[in-house]
Amino acid sequence: MTSAKNLAEKLFTKGDINGVVYVFAGNIGSFVIAIATLLGFGWSEELVFRRVIPGMCFGLMVSGLYYSWMAYRVAKKEGKHDVTALPSGVSTPVMFVYLFSVILPLQFGLGLDPQTTWHYAMAACAIGGLVEAAGGFVGPAIRRVVPRAAMLATVGGIALAWMGTRGLFDVYNMPMIGMPVLIVALLGLIGGYNLPGKIPPLVIALGFGIILALFFKEATIVLDQLGQFTPPLPAIGAMLTGLRGVLPFLAVIIPVEVYNFIETMDNVESAIAAGDNFNVKEAQIADGLCTFVGACFGSVFPNTVWIGHPGLKKAGCGIGYAWVSALLFGISGFFGFFNFLYYLLPGVVVSVVFLWCTQVIITQAFVDTPRRYGAAIVVAFIPHLADILSTQTTAIFQYAGIEFTAEAAAGIVNAGAMWSGIPFLKAGAVLTGMLWATIVCAIVDRQLLKAAATCGVGAALTFLGVIHAAQLGINAGPINILVGYLMAAAVFVIAHFFKDKLHYDRRYDYV
């Protein structure tokens, strides 16, 4: 059995440098996008840099320290020197859902001021953390029912609607910076062309972007906040006052956190497959509780166990990168580093990172699932497109000072705009995408009764207002959509009992 002294000597190794770069540099993009978006929503710098950012960093610091302790315990128990800690960070897809499907409609849909919106957003984050923690107990059962393709497709739809579009739009808005940086990023991250010395391609792209931004005077060096101590302050009272306002958004929070904890479960199990025997349930509960802690100190975004543990292990990372990254998050968030970085790193450079993330996420949905589920993945994208179309359209009306009434909606339809059905798909887009992907997967697998049951779930969720409705409540959803789900379920049941008499075209057999 390995002694504690020998293990202490392995708490940081040369290989851990790769992990620090991966976790810390990989999270920088999420922080800058979050900062830019919240400031764009009208939140003050005081609120963003002195309350939200320290809270986010505190949650990440706690999770990084906990995962390094988990790795230490596994190493000590099994007498191993090469245990790699779990990577953690801000969940980028979930962050976009919180920004544009929770915070934006809270603030602009309900007409809240930024301070009140922050209270509600903290409550949403805290609820999300508890849902994540619950995943340690119910995750395996949900994963048996919901196909992996449905989970990945839902995140792919969010990435396409909110990340990829924003990324390429920003590139064309500032092409003399965006295009060269995009090519540098794609050469390294997609093409595999790297400079000598194993410098991470993401670091090269970000550094190149900063140089170009400074040259074109699109970035500035602001040092007034750098080094000023801004500790995370408890905000439990403010968070509790926001609980009453987020109940209508449970239809968004719960399904996206279901994705989050299942993705955490998958990532921990990939670590086990790589040789590190972490407890899946413990990691999921810790993940959720760290998110909850961050929310109690001002954070509005959940963190998660990141993908990439096997790659980090292959790169020689051990326990050290996790606790070093954790301390770096604390130092950076509490001493103004992200304020400095926000002005140094223009949004277009970060948007390039998210364009790359979109490519990876959508590619994963198609590559890491059986080929036969391709149609299911595509259909899951569509509700998220309805979400962004609805959000953008209503934002334009709000900017113009026009109330977006039923008459206004009818008017834009008569003018040729594609609007009919969009509001119903927007409400509960995450769950709706999962439902339709599950239905199509069941069709492909010839599991017609499972498809019927899924339609029944859709009818029940509609009845409760979880999807296709503006708020929760008994009989809150549109009755015609509810009946539509029930009729679809009946079709599946009939097809199941008469399937032996139906002609089956073998051309639709996927292998």
Side-chain angles (χ1 to χ4, degrees):
M1 188 67 69
T2 302
S3 69
K5 179 181 179 181
N6 291 335
L7 284 171
E9 295 172 356
K10 296 293 183 180
L11 287 180
F12 193 86
T13 65
K14 183 178 180 181
D16 283 318
I17 296 173
N18 295 310
V20 172
V21 172
Y22 174 77
V23 171
F24 188 72
N27 273 281
I28 284 175
S30 297
F31 272 88
V32 174
I33 286 290
I35 291 168
T37 305
L38 292 176
L39 291 177
F41 287 169
W43 292 31
S44 67
E45 291 194 7
E46 174 77 14
L47 180 57
V48 173
F49 290 118
R50 301 185 72 86
R51 301 310 306 266
V52 176
I53 296 302
M56 289 174 65
C57 290
F58 186 67
L60 288 175
M61 184 176 71
V62 173
S63 66
L65 292 174
Y66 189 87
Y67 292 138
S68 62
W69 182 57
M70 279 183 68
Y72 178 85
R73 283 160 44 213
V74 170
K76 187 174 182 179
K77 178 182 178 181
E78 300 186 1
K80 297 166 63 176
H81 286 289
D82 61 345
V83 173
T84 300
L86 293 169
S88 65
V90 178
S91 175
T92 303
V94 178
M95 181 191 76
F96 270 84
V97 175
Y98 272 70
L99 279 171
F100 295 104
S101 295
V102 177
I103 296 175
L104 186 144
L106 271 173
Q107 182 168 335
F108 297 101
L110 301 181
L112 303 177
D113 62 89
Q115 189 77 17
T116 304
T117 305
W118 173 55
H119 296 172
Y120 285 16
M122 280 191 294
C125 185
I127 293 172
L130 296 178
V131 173
E132 281 186 77
F137 301 95
V138 302
I142 291 177
R143 194 172 62 171
R144 284 194 296 269
V145 175
V146 181
R148 180 172 173 79
M151 291 291 180
L152 294 178
T154 298
V155 179
I158 296 169
L160 176 64
W162 296 107
M163 296 168 62
T165 51
R166 171 70 181 271
L168 200 56
F169 293 170
D170 283 356
V171 165
Y172 273 82
N173 183 53
M174 203 174 290
M176 290 190 297
I177 297 176
M179 286 189 180
V181 174
L182 175 60
I183 296 305
V184 170
L186 294 182
L187 282 171
L189 297 168
I190 302 296
Y193 296 93
N194 295 313
L195 292 176
K198 296 183 179 180
I199 304 174
L202 186 59
V203 174
I204 295 172
L206 293 176
F208 182 49
I210 291 172
I211 292 171
L212 285 178
L214 289 171
F215 179 79
F216 288 111
K217 297 183 179 180
E218 295 292 343
T220 55
I221 298 175
V222 178
L223 302 174
D224 59 338
Q225 298 296 320
L226 191 62
Q228 290 192 15
F229 183 48
T230 307
L233 300 175
I236 298 173
M239 183 265 289
L240 291 175
T241 63
L243 283 175
R244 67 181 185 275
V246 299
L247 293 180
F249 293 88
L250 293 180
V252 174
I253 298 167
I254 291 176
V256 77
E257 292 296 350
V258 167
Y259 155 76
N260 207 14
F261 70 60
I262 289 181
E263 191 66 14
T264 290
M265 181 166 56
D266 287 341
N267 290 338
V268 177
E269 289 184 349
S270 75
I272 295 172
D276 293 335
N277 296 312
F278 295 112
N279 185 294
V280 179
K281 180 184 291 187
E282 180 187 358
Q284 289 182 281
I285 294 173
D287 195 37
L289 293 181
C290 289
T291 292
F292 182 83
V293 168
C296 291
F297 282 82
S299 175
V300 296
F301 303 112
N303 46 283
T304 189
V305 174
W306 267 18
I307 194 170
H309 173 278
L312 292 171
K313 191 170 188 66
K314 187 176 180 180
C317 298
I319 297 173
Y321 86 91
W323 66 264
V324 171
S325 298
L327 295 180
L328 281 176
F329 280 123
I331 294 170
S332 300
F334 308 159
F335 288 93
F337 173 75
F338 288 109
N339 181 291
F340 162 77
L341 190 64
Y342 170 72
Y343 291 101
L344 184 65
L345 195 64
V348 64
V349 177
V350 181
S351 292
V352 165
V353 177
F354 282 102
L355 181 58
W356 163 69
C357 286
T358 300
Q359 294 171 304
V360 172
I361 291 169
I362 294 179
T363 300
Q364 181 189 31
F366 285 101
V367 172
D368 289 356
T369 57
R371 176 173 174 264
R372 65 183 185 274
Y373 292 150
I377 293 169
V378 172
V379 76
F381 288 175
I382 298 173
H384 301 287
L385 298 179
D387 190 6
I388 192 170
L389 284 171
S390 177
T391 301
Q392 297 298 316
T393 301
T394 53
I396 290 170
F397 271 76
Q398 288 172 350
Y399 177 76
I402 303 172
E403 185 179 357
F404 194 62
T405 61
E407 291 76 15
I412 65 172
V413 171
N414 292 334
M418 186 172 56
W419 183 258
S420 300
I422 284 180
F424 302 116
L425 273 177
K426 170 187 169 56
V430 174
L431 264 182
T432 304
M434 286 184 184
L435 282 171
W436 277 104
T438 302
I439 290 169
V440 175
C441 286
I443 293 173
V444 171
D445 292 336
R446 317 298 175 195
Q447 297 175 340
L448 300 185
L449 289 183
K450 179 178 180 179
T454 306
C455 289
V457 170
L461 294 176
T462 303
F463 178 74
L464 297 173
V466 177
I467 57 177
H468 312 311
Q471 60 185 8
L472 300 173
I474 302 299
N475 200 23
I479 186 65
N480 58 340
I481 294 180
L482 187 154
V483 173
Y485 278 119
L486 294 177
M487 293 175 69
V491 170
F492 282 123
V493 172
I494 293 169
H496 171 77
F497 285 107
F498 288 92
K499 64 183 178 182
D500 293 337
K501 299 183 182 301
L502 297 175
H503 172 68
Y504 173 47
D505 192 337
R506 292 289 178 183
R507 289 178 299 174
Y508 290 89
D509 251 346
Y510 293 92
V511 293

